[in-house]
Amino acid sequence: MTTSSIPGLKTAERQKRPRRFSRLTLLALPLLVFLTLFFIWPIIGLLKQGFYSNGALSMDNYLRLLEVPIYRIVLQNTFVIALVVTGSCVVMSYPLAYLMASVRPALSKLLFFAVLLPFWSSALVRTSAWIALLQQNGPLNTLLVSTRLIDQPVAFLYNFTGVLIGMTHVLMPFVVLPLYSSFRAMDKSLIQAAQSLGADSIGIFTRVILPLTRPGVVAGAIIVFMNAVGYYITPSLMGGPAQRMIAELISHNISDELNWGIAAALAGVLLVTTLFSLWLFNRLFGLDKLMGGQSGKGSQLTSARRTGGGKISALAGLLCAVFLLLPIIIVIPMSFGTGSFPTFPPAEYGVRWYRHFFADPKWMAALWQSVKIGAIVTVTSVALGASAALAVYKMRPGRKGWLETLFIIPMSVPAIITAVALYYLCGPLGLIKNSVALIIGHTVLATPYVYITLRAALQSFDPSLELAALSLGASWSQMFKRIMLPALLPGLIGGAIFAFITSFDDVVMALFLTTLRTRTLPKLMYEGLSMDFDPTVISASCVLIAATALILIAHALFARQGDKNATATR
C-alpha cells in the first residue's frame, strides 16, 4: 500500500500543512536573529571602518594596501601560499583516496580512521606535533643526520617549508573525503576496459580517472583554498616573517598597531575572496552538496587488477596516510619524556609532564573553562541549528535558498574576521571579561555544523512516515516525538559532537575574546608554543588526541548501532 492510498491522507495533509508550515517557519527565526545580531551586524561594523580615514569617508585604507610594500607582499604571500597548499593537497590526496577506495572494506575503514583522526584533532595539536617533529634537534633531523644523509640539521621550521607541511597536513582531508566519494562512485569496468584496450597507467589516469573524479577534486580544492587564505595558527607558529599572511596582519594591526582602518580593509579583501570561493562552489556544485555525500552508483574498485602505476599509486597512498598519522605517532612517546625539552626517542620515560598538566592550577583552570564553554555552546548550537534545519526542511525550495546560504556562511568566513568583528562589538560592552563574547563566537562557528548534519539527516528521512502518522490522527508534536526524533537522533548526536569539538578546539576566537582569567586550554597551549616551547603542551596535545579518538570511536559505534536498529525496524 502506498501513502497516497491511505484513507483521508490527502485531506489531513491539506488541513494541517498551512498552520504547521507557518509554525515551523518560525523555528528558523531564532537562528536568523542570532546571526543577524552577532555575525552580520558585527562584520558590517568592522568593514565600515575600512572606508573611514581621519573621521571621513575615504578609500585611503584600501589604497594603502596597494601602495605600501609590506601590505602588497603579505597579500601576495597569502594567495601564493594558499594556491601552493591547495595544489599540494590535491596531489597528495589522489593516491590516498584511490587506496581507500581500492582496498578491502576492513582496511578501508582503517585508512578512513587515519584521515578522520587528524581531521578532527585540533589544528593546534597537529601544529605542536609538527613543531616537535621538525625542530632542529627533532626526530626528523636526528634521523637524517644519524643516517649521514645530511651533515647539519635542516631548517624545516619558520620558513615556507614549515608552513607548507603544516597547512597541507591540516587541510588535506578536505580533498581526500570528496575525492574518495568520487572514486567510490566510479565504475571499475571502465578501468578494466581501458586496460584491455592497451592503455597505460598515465592514459588510464588522464582519460578515465581524472575526468570522472574532477568534480570531487575541484570541490575539495575550492574548500581548501577558501580555508587557506584565512588561515592563522599554522603560519604564525611554523612560518617566519617572509611567510606572513593576511590573518596575521589583521591581528597585528589590531593588537599592536591599533589601526582598525587597515585591519578592516584587510578583512574586506579576505572576506570578498572567501565569498567568491563560496559562490563558485555553489555555482559548480550547489551548497546542498555540503549536506549530503555523493552516492556511489558504480562498482567498488576492490577487485580491479592493479597496473604497475596502480601499485605505485597505492604505495604513495600508504605514504600519504603515514604523513597524516606521523605527527600523532611521534608525539605520543615524546610526551612521556622526562627531559626539559621534548626529544624522540626520549632518553628516559616517565609521566613528568602529565603530572605537571594535571597538577598545575593554570592548566586545569583552562581545561575546565574549555569544557564549560564547550558544553554551553553545544546546547545552544543544537537548539538553534536543529530548529532552523527543521524549519528549512518544511519550506518550499524557492524560499529556503537564501536562508540556507546565510546559515552556512559562518563556517566559511575565516574565524579571524568573525573574532575581530565580535571583539569590536563586545569589547566596549564588557562581554569579554565574563566569556559571553567567546560563547557567542563559538556558537556562530558551531551552529552551521549542527545545521548541516541535521539537514543531511532530514534529507534521508522518509516523509511518508510523517504523513501516515498525521493521517491516523496524531498531532505534529506526537509524530515528532515518536517518529521523527528517533530517526534523527544519530544526526543530532553527531551535530552535538561537531559543535563541542569546534568550540573546544578553537584558538583564534579565544585569542581575541578571552582574558588572562578566562583563557581556554587551546589559548594556553598557543601561548606555550609561541612564547617558549613548554613540554606540557605536548602532554596536553596527547590528552586531546586521546579524547578525540574516543569520541570518534564512540560516535562510530553509536552510528553502527543506530543502523542495526533501523534495519531491524524495517
Side-chain angles (χ1 to χ4, degrees), residues 46-267:
L46 172 65
L47 296 180
K48 186 173 64 175
Q49 298 299 312
F51 295 97
Y52 280 88
S53 181
N54 298 322
L57 282 173
S58 171
M59 293 294 293
D60 288 349
N61 291 316
Y62 284 92
L63 292 175
R64 286 192 65 192
L65 298 185
L66 300 176
E67 295 170 353
V68 178
I70 182 63
Y71 296 140
R72 290 203 310 268
I73 293 172
V74 169
L75 290 173
Q76 178 181 335
N77 282 345
T78 298
F79 291 104
V80 169
I81 291 174
L83 287 172
V84 173
V85 168
T86 301
S88 175
C89 289
V90 169
V91 171
M92 295 186 66
S93 295
Y94 255 107
L96 179 54
Y98 165 75
L99 180 63
M100 292 168 61
S102 62
V103 295
R104 294 179 180 179
L107 185 54
S108 179
K109 290 179 181 178
L110 184 62
L111 291 170
F112 206 79
F113 184 79
V115 174
L116 286 182
L117 180 58
F119 182 66
W120 284 112
S121 297
S122 169
L124 185 60
V125 169
R126 288 177 279 175
T127 301
S128 64
W130 275 115
I131 291 175
L133 181 62
L134 298 177
Q135 60 190 327
Q136 189 172 10
N137 297 320
L140 183 58
N141 268 316
T142 302
L143 176 64
L144 293 176
V145 172
S146 62
T147 54
R148 301 186 182 277
L149 293 176
I150 58 175
D151 296 327
Q152 299 293 331
V154 176
F156 290 112
L157 289 177
Y158 315 121
N159 50 34
F160 182 80
T161 302
V163 173
L164 179 61
I165 292 174
M167 290 184 65
T168 300
H169 185 266
V170 170
L171 298 175
M172 187 174 145
F174 286 105
V175 183
V176 173
L177 297 178
L179 195 54
Y180 167 73
S181 297
S182 295
F183 272 110
R184 285 291 302 273
M186 189 186 304
D187 189 347
K188 70 175 183 183
S189 62
L190 298 176
I191 298 178
Q192 293 172 340
Q195 291 174 354
S196 66
L197 293 173
D200 57 9
S201 300
I202 297 178
I204 292 174
F205 177 78
T206 56
R207 298 188 178 185
V208 179
I209 295 178
L210 188 60
L212 293 176
T213 57
R214 186 179 291 119
V217 76
V218 171
I222 292 175
I223 294 174
V224 167
F225 180 81
M226 189 165 53
N227 281 273
V229 291
Y231 224 70
Y232 179 79
I233 299 301
T234 302
S236 65
L237 292 176
M238 298 184 67
Q243 290 75 45
R244 179 172 284 190
M245 297 177 69
I246 290 180
E248 294 178 77
L249 205 55
I250 292 174
S251 176
H252 171 74
N253 274 278
I254 291 175
S255 302
D256 301 329
E257 301 292 334
L258 297 178
N259 192 333
W260 283 92
I262 292 296
L266 290 167

Side-chain angles (χ1 to χ4, degrees), residues 17-18 21 25 390-404 455:
R17 180 175 292 174
F21 275 25
T25 302
L390 195 60
V392 173
Y393 169 69
K394 291 297 181 182
M395 289 181 183
R396 296 177 181 176
R399 296 180 180 178
K400 64 184 181 183
W402 67 274
L403 268 181
E404 292 210 299
R455 281 288 287 123

Side-chain angles (χ1 to χ4, degrees), residues 305-454:
R305 180 173 57 86
R306 294 192 197 274
T307 62
K311 294 178 181 178
I312 294 175
S313 297
L315 178 59
L318 185 61
L319 293 176
C320 291
V322 172
F323 169 77
L324 289 178
L325 287 176
L326 184 61
I328 296 175
I329 295 173
I330 294 295
V331 80
I332 292 175
M334 290 179 68
S335 68
F336 289 97
T338 58
S340 299
F341 200 82
T343 57
F344 181 86
E348 294 181 1
Y349 287 89
V351 291
R352 172 188 176 185
W353 297 111
Y354 284 99
R355 283 201 305 264
H356 185 265
F357 174 75
F358 288 106
D360 192 332
K362 175 181 66 176
W363 287 96
M364 286 297 98
L367 175 62
W368 169 244
Q369 184 75 358
S370 292
V371 172
K372 182 174 64 175
I373 291 175
I376 296 172
V377 169
T378 299
V379 173
T380 308
S381 299
V382 167
L384 292 173
S387 61
L390 195 60
V392 173
Y393 169 69
K394 291 297 181 182
M395 289 181 183
R396 296 177 181 176
R399 296 180 180 178
K400 64 184 181 183
W402 67 274
L403 268 181
E404 292 210 299
T405 302
L406 174 61
F407 293 160
I408 291 175
I409 279 181
M411 68 182 291
S412 304
V413 172
I416 185 71
I417 296 178
T418 309
V420 171
L422 284 173
Y423 179 76
Y424 179 78
L425 173 70
C426 298
L429 301 177
L431 299 179
I432 294 177
K433 297 179 180 179
N434 52 17
S435 299
V436 172
L438 184 62
I439 292 172
I440 291 172
H442 283 182
T443 303
V444 170
L445 291 181
T447 303
Y449 290 97
V450 179
Y451 174 81
I452 287 176
T453 305
L454 263 294

